[in-house]
């Protein structure tokens, strides 16, 4: 018999992609997708169980299906539907994780647990180090929102690992997710026609392509290959770093620098009309940025992303409508302006550089 894999958060786009992908692994016999609502996307041959991980019934699901591998992907910062509440999201993140871990503790067949977390656990503050590794403490722990949720989630996961040392536990801290189909707060932000930014700040950002996210989750849910070790905590991000200003130019999005109080007010307004989840946590990220070191991901876990940070942004950008300042058109306009500035000197048979030499000669 092959492995029986249970995946939480199967109704979300990324969870559905992972469910379809893990079915193709030869050592996987069955896949069970779990969520509170039936997914609108196909799950292939996986069995869908409509269940709320916040309820003790999740323990019965684990036992009845003889689950030995749990991939906990139902840890998110935004509601599943536009009408969903942030309170329900927090309850799913924290209480849902507690109930799921309680069920895993009682399920004797469970041998592997993979948890989708976020580099948001490091927070985002002005005195932060330039680069975080997995053991770097934050200068200012998150005080609320999704970042605080993942701090609590990881605390419960560490407690579970101590109580069940026979279970291999892997925590994957993802950078901002981007891709043509994934839904994420950063993707919603970059989809705005004009990007509000914090006046005087140009934060450094890292991204993970959705394809790489699915692959690293699949890798962590398997037995480790020779020379690698999958248990532990790993930062997951594409190579390279981009400034927010670079991201805006590459996507053809003009920016509007705003004072911090104004952008907080504007973020609340955007969130209230459902344009984007402009949370206080995201405002802090767009102020101070966050960069992580991924050496453990490569050297210990044995995973090398296919997409760099820049390539993940580019692939995301190809699925967007053309911005107000399309990069190709903007570059062409700059070239035309430069040509016009050079034209008077060309007509006079002189080049700007030559003119300077003539004046000083």
């Amino acid at each position: 018999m092959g492995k029986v894999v249970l995946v939480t958060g199967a109704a979300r786009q990324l969870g559905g992609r992972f469910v379809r992908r893990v079915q193709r692994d030869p050592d996987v016999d069955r896949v069970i997708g779990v969520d509170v609502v039936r997914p609108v996307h196909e799950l292939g041959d996986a069995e869908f169980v409509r269940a709320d991980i916040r309820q003790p019934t999740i323990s019965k699901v684990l036992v009845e299906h003889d689950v030995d591998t749990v991939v906990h992907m139902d840890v998110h910062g935004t509601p599943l539907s536009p009408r969903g509440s942030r309170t329900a999201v927090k309850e799913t993140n924290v209480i849902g994780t507690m109930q799921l871990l309680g069920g895993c503790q009682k399920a004797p067949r469970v041998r592997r647990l993979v948890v989708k977390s976020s580099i948001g656990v490091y927070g985002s503050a002005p005195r932060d180090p330039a680069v975080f590794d997995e053991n770097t403490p934050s200068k200012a722990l998150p005080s609320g929102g999704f970042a605080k949720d993942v701090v609590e989630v990881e605390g419960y996961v560490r407690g579970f690992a101590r109580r069940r040392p026979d279970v291999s536990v892997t925590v994957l801290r993802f950078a901002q997710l981007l891709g043509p189909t994934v839904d994420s707060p950063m993707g919603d932000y970059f989809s705005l026609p004009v990007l509000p930014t914090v006046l005087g700040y140009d934060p450094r950002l890292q991204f993970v392509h959705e394809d790489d996210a699915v692959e690293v989750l699949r890798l962590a849910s398997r037995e480790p290959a020779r020379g690698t070790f999958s248990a532990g905590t790993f930062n997951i991000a594409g190579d390279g770093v981009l400034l927010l200003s670079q991201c805006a130019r590459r996507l053809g999005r003009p920016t509007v620098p705003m004072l911090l109080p104004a952008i907080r007010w504007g973020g609340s307004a955007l969130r209230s009309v459902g344009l984007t989840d402009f949370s206080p946590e995201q405002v802090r990220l767009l102020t101070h940025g966050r960069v992580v070191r991924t050496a453990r991901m490569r050297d210990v876990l044995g995973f090398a992303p296919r997409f760099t940070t820049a390539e993940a942004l580019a692939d995301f950008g190809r699925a967007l409508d053309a911005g107000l300042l399309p990069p190709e058109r903007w570059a062409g306009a700059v070239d035309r302006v430069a040509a016009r500035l050079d034209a008077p000197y060309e007509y006079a048979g002189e080049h700007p550089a030559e003119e300077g030499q003539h004046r000083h000669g």
Side-chain angles (χ1 to χ4, degrees), residues 165-211:
D166 58 312
V167 176
S168 175
V169 178
T170 306
V171 176
L172 302 177
R173 292 175 176 169
F174 287 94
Q176 301 295 316
L177 284 164
L178 285 181
T181 64
V182 72
D183 52 343
S184 68
M186 187 59 71
D188 293 341
Y189 169 73
F190 282 143
S191 299
L192 295 172
V194 177
L195 304 183
T197 61
V198 182
L199 181 66
Y201 292 89
D202 196 10
R204 299 174 302 150
L205 303 172
Q206 286 174 302
F207 306 124
V208 182
H209 194 278
E210 58 183 302
D211 291 354

Side-chain angles (χ1 to χ4, degrees), residues 331-347 351-352:
V334 172
D335 291 342
R336 287 193 295 273
V337 170
R340 288 180 179 275
L341 292 175
D342 284 344
Y345 300 106
E346 293 174 357
Y347 295 147
H351 188 273

